[in-house]
Amino acid sequence: SAVISQKPSRDICQRGTSLTIQCQVDSQVTMMFWYRQQPGQSLTLIATANQGSEATYESGFVIDKFPISRPNLTFSTLTVSNMSPEDSSIYLCSVDRRGGAGQYFGPGTRLTVL
Amino acid sequence: GENVEQHPSTLSVQEGDSAVIKCTYSDSASNYFPWYKQELGKGPQLIIDIRSNVGEKKDQRIAVTLNKTAKHFSLHITETQPEDSAVYFCAALGPLNNAGNMLTFGGGTRLMVKP
């Protein structure tokens, strides 16, 4: 497994602002992912964070709304831009060392937008 | 793309009883099936997984079975304890996306173990 930390653990933000969430892993990993978990719901993949290149977004998610950086093999950020109350969710990063199997999740960032 | 359905959505058992959660998947090419446990306020924790080349895997009180022909897999928890209370998610490694591989998650099962 891997030790994954996220900052902040929670935040309350005003409509129209942006929040950047950080994900740090204790060792180099091949793949990092960002998920959204809306209240009481399952996990939905936002994008795959690619080291040294643009992230790969899933259907329904766009770079302007969720810009992602991955400057190295242990760190990534997700920004939630121009927030609205509908963005209130838990945002989770995950890592995968085994090329598509064995994903491990961070503790999540609980975001509330007023 | 892959579709994973999970049942039941809620499950209440008495401490010491067994609990079974079932999932079905749609893509016969899926070959990896993990199960996650998510406690309140925490991220999902990988508790057990199974690959398509085996039919069953056990780890102490937890077991997972896979029926590739029927495209369903199940999580079995024996001798349940109050600390097993959590939301459980199944997942399947589905078709490749542009970046490589993608897990598709079931809707989750809220398990409550009553003392």
Side-chain angles (χ1 to χ4, degrees):
Chain A
S1 64
V3 177
I4 307 165
S5 60
Q6 285 185 234
K7 291 182 181 179
S9 58
R10 59 177 61 230
D11 207 342
I12 301 173
C13 301
Q14 294 297 320
R15 180 196 299 261
T17 63
S18 297
L19 176 72
T20 295
I21 302 168
Q22 299 179 3
C23 180
Q24 179 75 54
V25 193
D26 66 340
S27 58
Q28 294 184 345
V29 292
T30 305
M31 304 186 77
M32 295 181 76
F33 306 91
W34 286 99
Y35 286 82
R36 182 176 71 184
Q37 186 176 27
Q38 294 176 304
Q41 302 298 311
S42 186
L43 290 80
T44 301
L45 181 64
I46 297 172
T48 303
N50 301 309
Q51 195 267 329
S53 64
E54 194 171 282
T56 305
Y57 290 84
E58 297 303 309
S59 176
F61 298 96
V62 295
I63 187 171
D64 290 347
K65 176 67 176 177
F66 297 101
I68 287 170
S69 78
R70 187 170 175 199
N72 56 52
L73 294 176
T74 63
F75 185 79
S76 178
T77 67
L78 168 76
T79 298
V80 186
S81 304
N82 187 25
M83 289 183 287
S84 67
E86 292 72 36
D87 294 319
S88 297
S89 291
I90 299 172
Y91 292 86
L92 296 148
C93 72
S94 73
V95 304
D96 185 346
R97 284 203 187 90
R98 293 191 276 161
Q103 280 193 32
Y104 297 91
F105 285 83
T109 295
R110 185 178 297 270
L111 171 62
T112 302
V113 184
L114 302 177
Chain B
E2 175 69 281
N3 182 50
V4 178
E5 296 194 357
Q6 183 171 347
H7 299 281
S9 57
T10 61
L11 178 60
S12 181
V13 301
Q14 205 67 37
E15 182 178 0
D17 289 349
S18 296
V20 180
I21 303 170
K22 298 181 179 181
C23 289
T24 61
Y25 61 99
S26 61
D27 189 347
S28 57
S30 292
N31 58 10
Y32 172 72
F33 307 92
W35 285 88
Y36 290 87
K37 174 184 181 182
Q38 187 175 28
E39 296 174 296
L40 194 62
K42 297 184 178 180
Q45 176 192 2
L46 178 63
I47 57 173
I48 195 167
D49 56 13
I50 191 168
R51 297 184 183 274
S52 59
N53 58 347
V54 298
E56 183 176 3
K57 183 177 178 180
K58 287 184 179 180
D59 183 4
Q60 300 182 351
R61 294 186 298 109
I62 294 174
V64 57
T65 59
L66 171 65
N67 184 325
K68 286 176 56 181
T69 302
K71 289 189 284 188
H72 67 70
F73 56 112
S74 300
L75 177 71
H76 304 253
I77 306 175
T78 58
E79 301 174 25
T80 53
Q81 302 167 2
E83 50 265 38
D84 294 329
S85 297
V87 179
Y88 291 80
F89 292 99
C90 64
L93 190 66
L96 298 179
N97 64 1
N98 291 337
N101 297 280
M102 187 177 85
L103 278 178
T104 301
F105 285 83
T109 296
R110 182 173 300 278
L111 173 65
M112 294 168 283
V113 180
K114 295 178 287 186

